[in-house]
Amino acid sequence: MKKQAIVFLILPLLFYVSSCNRGKAADALNETKKTETIKSDSIEKKVALTIDTLDYNKRMVALSNNDTTGRWPVKAPYPLPGALLPYNRIIAYYGNLYSTRMGILGEIPRKQMLAKLQGEVAKWQAADSTVKAIPALHYIAVTAQGAPGKNNMHRMRMPFKQIDTILSWAKPINALVFLDIQVGHSTVKAEVAELEKYLSMPNVHLGIDPEFSMKNGERPGSKIGHFTAADINDAIDILANIVRKNKLTPKVLVVHRFTQGMVKNYKEIKTVPEVQIVMDMDGFGSKVLKKDSYMSYIYREPVQFAGFKLFYKNDNKKDWKMYSPEELVKFTPKPIYIQYQ
């Protein structure tokens, strides 16, 4: 499906059970936690080196909504201890502080926005009490541009002070922070590397948007772009290295998608213990159209976890109505990452 509107920001105009998940990180013999003893101030502490794989498998099967095709849950290495998924459902507000048109984050005042986000978190918790719902602020840190700019990259990096602001907003409600990039004529590798100091923080994660990745020199917005598996793997490699170097818990990588062509060679996207990949069903429209897109691009082309995007305005046009949490938890697989724009 195609998005019906594309908005640019131009400053200063402001624009399983059994074998399903037996991977390298798993204790495949008896699926029990391994621990090591660390002495600190004469006190011995037990630190888990692996997750409770039986519990993980059970949660992944539940998240798959008992899919019988074998697609879900996806076979992948077990995550490192401290992984957010599938133990939490992330409820994110998306946008940019320079624009009131790019999403709810930036559209309304901070206090009102945070209160509204917490209200959505509560609704999701009520809809599915088996998974803890947690808040997140998903900030567009690199925006695609219609104009080439000084570097001819058709992208604009937001000032770090804006990211600092988002971090300060997230702290009082203990929210995660996602930094989203629209590469334009740049590359995933180049743009993610610029954000390493923030991605080295335990609560900061990454989103990448293939819609604005223009491989052949087109102007962003003139057509829908795409990422190859190699592009996505570049992000995974950088995140995995950051996790290992800083001894962090796994990072979450959100990849937006609303057409078949936006992600190429999905089977070649790597899965590693350090990174958890969410394929996020983007795009707006009627419930029938959005569910069809979810089935076509998320369900039928499984990578690891599923996400779903909701538009306060564009999903409620004409006789359309935005999906409720109660409706979405009936999907197969259940989305574990929810983004509101």
Side-chain angles (χ1 to χ4, degrees):
M1 95 182 232
K2 292 185 179 180
K3 285 188 178 175
Q4 300 175 7
I6 297 174
V7 178
F8 292 102
L9 170 63
I10 304 177
L11 295 176
L13 297 178
L14 300 187
F15 174 4
Y16 144 141
V17 177
S18 73
S19 64
C20 77
N21 280 302
R22 296 181 188 274
K24 296 178 181 178
D27 178 4
L29 293 178
N30 56 18
E31 296 188 325
T32 58
K33 287 185 180 178
K34 293 180 180 178
T35 63
E36 68 176 6
T37 300
I38 297 178
K39 291 185 178 182
S40 176
D41 297 328
S42 301
I43 299 175
E44 291 189 356
K45 297 180 180 180
K46 295 288 184 179
V47 179
L49 296 180
T50 60
I51 63 170
D52 181 340
T53 54
L54 288 174
D55 178 62
Y56 181 87
N57 288 345
K58 181 179 178 181
R59 289 174 181 272
M60 291 297 286
V61 169
L63 200 60
S64 75
N65 236 347
N66 298 307
D67 179 53
T68 59
T69 66
R71 290 186 177 94
W72 299 87
V74 179
K75 297 176 177 63
Y78 287 117
L80 297 178
L84 287 165
L85 308 176
Y87 310 99
N88 302 277
R89 176 171 282 113
I90 301 168
I91 314 301
Y93 267 12
Y94 171 93
N96 183 284
L97 298 187
Y98 283 127
S99 174
T100 59
R101 297 182 298 167
M102 296 183 76
I104 188 70
L105 176 59
E107 181 180 354
I108 61 177
R110 174 182 59 87
K111 288 184 179 180
Q112 183 183 348
M113 181 272 297
L114 293 177
K116 189 175 179 68
L117 172 57
Q118 289 176 294
E120 297 293 4
V121 170
K123 290 177 186 177
W124 277 95
Q125 192 62 72
D128 185 1
S129 61
T130 66
V131 180
K132 183 180 179 181
I134 59 175
L137 301 180
H138 195 121
Y139 179 65
I140 311 167
V142 181
T143 65
Q145 301 290 304
K150 293 180 180 179
N151 51 27
N152 205 37
M153 287 293 175
H154 284 267
R155 62 96 177 96
M156 181 175 290
R157 295 168 177 166
M158 299 296 102
F160 283 172
K161 65 180 181 181
Q162 288 285 355
I163 300 176
D164 295 336
T165 296
I166 295 298
L167 288 167
S168 70
W169 286 12
K171 191 173 182 180
I173 63 169
N174 197 28
L176 304 174
V177 170
F178 283 80
L179 301 180
D180 205 87
I181 61 172
Q182 302 171 354
V183 300
H185 291 188
S186 185
T187 64
V188 170
K189 185 180 291 187
E191 298 308 317
V192 175
E194 288 294 313
L195 297 171
E196 181 170 349
K197 78 170 187 176
Y198 288 105
L199 293 168
S200 297
M201 299 176 181
N203 66 321
V204 179
H205 303 269
L206 180 66
I208 56 177
D209 195 343
E211 178 183 358
F212 301 104
S213 172
M214 316 315 292
K215 302 290 190 184
N216 299 310
E218 306 94 340
R219 179 179 59 83
S222 64
K223 62 179 292 185
I224 297 170
H226 72 272
F227 282 149
T228 64
D231 294 320
I232 297 170
N233 287 341
D234 281 341
I236 292 168
D237 287 340
I238 294 171
L239 290 175
N241 183 59
I242 289 171
V243 168
R244 289 190 291 266
K245 184 167 62 175
N246 296 282
K247 296 181 172 57
L248 300 174
T249 54
K251 293 293 180 182
V252 177
L253 172 63
V254 174
V255 183
H256 305 290
R257 187 178 191 185
F258 60 89
T259 71
Q260 183 76 36
M262 284 175 71
V263 175
K264 311 287 188 183
N265 312 115
Y266 81 95
K267 291 182 180 179
E268 297 175 18
I269 298 172
K270 64 175 68 175
T271 51
V272 297
E274 296 87 357
V275 182
Q276 299 191 288
I277 307 162
V278 175
M279 300 303 292
D280 180 39
M281 206 297 290
D282 203 339
F284 56 81
S286 68
K287 286 184 177 180
V288 172
L289 188 56
K290 293 191 72 159
K291 186 171 184 178
D292 180 70
S293 296
Y294 189 81
M295 294 300 294
S296 297
Y297 315 131
I298 306 300
Y299 171 74
R300 292 192 184 120
E301 296 194 356
V303 176
Q304 193 170 22
F305 294 95
F308 202 95
K309 189 166 184 175
L310 296 164
F311 293 77
Y312 280 119
K313 294 179 180 177
N314 290 329
D315 282 350
N316 286 306
K317 285 186 174 180
K318 303 175 184 177
D319 54 351
W320 301 345
K321 189 175 181 181
M322 192 170 72
Y323 271 111
S324 69
E326 290 79 9
E327 291 171 319
L328 287 175
V329 295
K330 294 177 183 178
F331 276 34
T332 300
K334 299 178 184 178
I336 198 71
Y337 169 90
I338 305 297
Q339 184 180 99
Y340 287 89
Q341 180 168 335

